[in-house]
Amino acid sequence: MKDLKYLAALTIPLTAVVGLYLKGAWCFLTPVYSFVIIPLLEMLLPEDNTNYSEPELENRKVNKIFDWMLYFNLPIVYGLVVWALIIVTSVPLETFEIIGLTLSLGMVLGTNGINVAHELGHRQTTNERFIGKALLLPALYMHFYIEHNHGHHLHAATKEDPATAHYNQNVYSFWFTSTIRQYLSAWRIQMKLLKNSKQSFFSVKNDMFWFLVIQLVYLLAVFSVFGRTGLLFAIAAGVTGFILLETVNYIEHYGLLRSKTASGRYERVKENHSWNSNHLVGRIVLYELTRHSDHHYKSSKKYQLLECHEESPQMPFGYPTSMVLALIPPLWFKIMNKRVPTHMISA
């Protein structure tokens, strides 16, 4: 039964269901749950930095229940998108209720959408990658698949990486620089891939072109069925979703930089180039994303196999709590700047 603990990740869409059903102040249940209740739980519960034994790892590696817990997010995410659109466009709502539902759906798109898509995007099977790309669609962030796999994992913890926050950069500045630079980077990577395979811009292998088309078709479909209100709601929820992702990106590598070797190239990514957290609740609801160093060490490693490395820099709080702190730059800098290794600040 302990393997089913990751079903707790579904508590986030469950809170959105409650908000959609009860409305009123309940529309804000998801943000309150994510950024108030979960941080409080993380402070009350002990950290867990234990790793699995070899027999446990072998069992977890072949146990398909871990995969199905990811796949189950696809109907949940799309079901909530459709239900939310129906509610927003057919039920009289106060402005505060619409704001609450936008934040709630956006958080589902960021956690159960983009975060799960991130995990599946590293898989080797076509079906799993397809599900991953489908989960990126409502957040309007399909280019993440290309930039993350071909860009971020190559350049993480360097100044060339759009998704690595610089020392003393605040999260609000990072939202803009990361979002814009990642999109442009994705196009550069795509054009390079096409050139290397001697394909034209209009090739079926131009994923960036098809991502653009698919996302436009999605928005046109929303507009044709749910009108302007539905379109604006879908866009606002999608933006909320990818801002949530970028906030996670911000805390994952903040201020950490890889050194350059004598040849002028960067050292390989090591365990000390990502911020980690062993706070249990955040680990579970984010499918072990908080064991980020091990993920970068071997990106093909499934979430249920990720381990804790003692040499990895540890955040004083869980990821959900850290995201809240990041929204208050003076407090974030006061807590985190002293934890950034001195040699990385001057790199």
Side-chain angles (χ1 to χ4, degrees):
M1 290 298 293
K2 65 180 182 179
D3 290 344
L4 297 177
K5 65 185 180 183
Y6 297 105
L7 288 175
L10 301 183
T11 56
I12 293 178
L14 179 61
T15 59
V17 169
V18 173
L20 284 165
Y21 184 74
L22 297 178
K23 303 174 187 63
W26 291 102
C27 293
F28 286 89
L29 180 59
T30 304
V32 170
Y33 174 71
S34 301
F35 295 126
V36 178
I37 297 176
I38 288 180
L40 286 175
L41 288 174
E42 288 191 321
M43 292 179 185
L44 293 173
L45 297 175
E47 297 181 51
D48 181 11
N49 60 357
T50 57
N51 289 324
Y52 304 107
S53 64
E54 283 301 322
E56 286 178 315
L57 287 173
E58 287 303 315
N59 177 64
R60 295 170 75 85
K61 187 182 298 184
V62 298
N63 192 340
K64 287 294 182 181
I65 189 65
F66 296 106
D67 296 329
W68 280 101
M69 281 191 280
L70 295 179
Y71 308 156
F72 195 45
N73 283 279
L74 184 64
I76 289 175
V77 167
Y78 276 87
L80 279 173
V81 168
V82 174
W83 188 19
L85 284 168
I86 291 173
I87 293 296
V88 168
T89 57
S90 64
V91 177
L93 296 172
E94 298 291 339
T95 301
F96 80 91
E97 291 176 302
I98 296 175
I99 293 173
L101 293 179
T102 301
L103 294 174
S104 295
L105 180 61
M107 288 181 179
V108 173
L109 297 183
T111 53
N112 301 78
I114 299 177
N115 185 45
V116 175
H118 160 256
E119 171 71 22
L120 294 175
H122 285 291
R123 303 291 177 86
Q124 299 303 310
T125 67
T126 302
N127 289 341
E128 288 179 307
R129 290 186 175 186
F130 174 82
I131 295 173
K133 293 172 186 176
L135 285 169
L136 291 171
L137 172 57
L140 309 175
Y141 230 56
M142 296 185 78
H143 64 278
F144 174 80
Y145 171 79
I146 291 179
E147 209 293 321
H148 182 82
N149 290 299
H150 297 281
H152 176 64
H153 272 266
L154 179 65
H155 300 295
T158 71
K159 293 179 180 179
E160 285 74 25
D161 179 38
T164 294
H166 304 315
Y167 182 81
N168 266 342
Q169 180 180 19
N170 68 64
V171 70
Y172 304 106
S173 164
F174 181 78
W175 286 349
F176 288 99
T177 59
S178 182
T179 300
I180 295 171
R181 290 180 62 204
Q182 281 193 74
Y183 187 74
L184 296 176
S185 174
W187 270 109
R188 286 194 296 269
I189 292 169
Q190 181 65 82
M191 298 310 293
K192 183 178 180 180
L193 291 173
L194 290 173
K195 182 179 179 180
N196 291 342
S197 59
K198 297 181 180 179
Q199 300 288 328
S200 70
F201 179 86
F202 294 102
S203 166
V204 293
K205 293 186 177 181
N206 186 346
D207 286 343
M208 284 297 291
F209 174 74
W210 291 113
F211 291 163
L212 184 61
V213 170
I214 291 169
Q215 288 174 162
L216 285 174
V217 169
Y218 164 73
L219 291 176
L220 286 172
V222 169
F223 178 71
S224 65
V225 176
F226 298 101
R228 186 177 66 176
T229 300
L231 176 63
L232 293 175
F233 176 77
I235 292 174
V239 171
T240 301
F242 72 69
I243 284 180
L244 192 71
L245 162 74
E246 293 302 346
T247 307
V248 173
N249 279 339
Y250 176 80
I251 68 174
E252 283 177 335
H253 303 280
Y254 172 77
L256 302 178
L257 288 174
R258 287 147 60 189
S259 301
K260 286 190 175 182
T261 63
S263 65
R265 302 185 67 175
Y266 285 104
E267 62 179 322
R268 70 181 298 267
V269 178
K270 298 179 182 177
E271 292 86 348
N272 64 332
H273 294 132
S274 303
W275 291 103
N276 290 260
S277 166
N278 287 308
H279 293 77
L280 193 57
V281 182
R283 283 179 52 193
I284 293 173
V285 299
L286 293 174
Y287 295 102
E288 301 291 1
L289 181 69
T290 66
R291 289 190 161 182
H292 207 59
S293 289
D294 202 27
H295 169 66
H296 271 277
Y297 185 72
K298 190 173 183 180
S299 61
S300 61
K301 204 171 186 180
K302 292 185 176 182
Y303 73 96
Q304 71 270 20
L305 305 176
L306 295 175
E307 297 181 285
C308 171
H309 296 273
E310 290 186 5
E311 59 269 44
S312 299
Q314 300 296 317
M315 307 197 84
F317 307 103
Y319 269 32
T321 307
S322 299
M323 292 167 70
V324 176
L325 292 176
L327 298 177
I328 312 171
L331 185 57
W332 171 262
F333 295 147
K334 182 177 181 179
I335 293 173
M336 293 302 297
N337 280 5
K338 60 187 177 184
R339 295 173 177 268
V340 178
T342 305
H343 73 276
M344 292 188 180
I345 298 174
S346 57

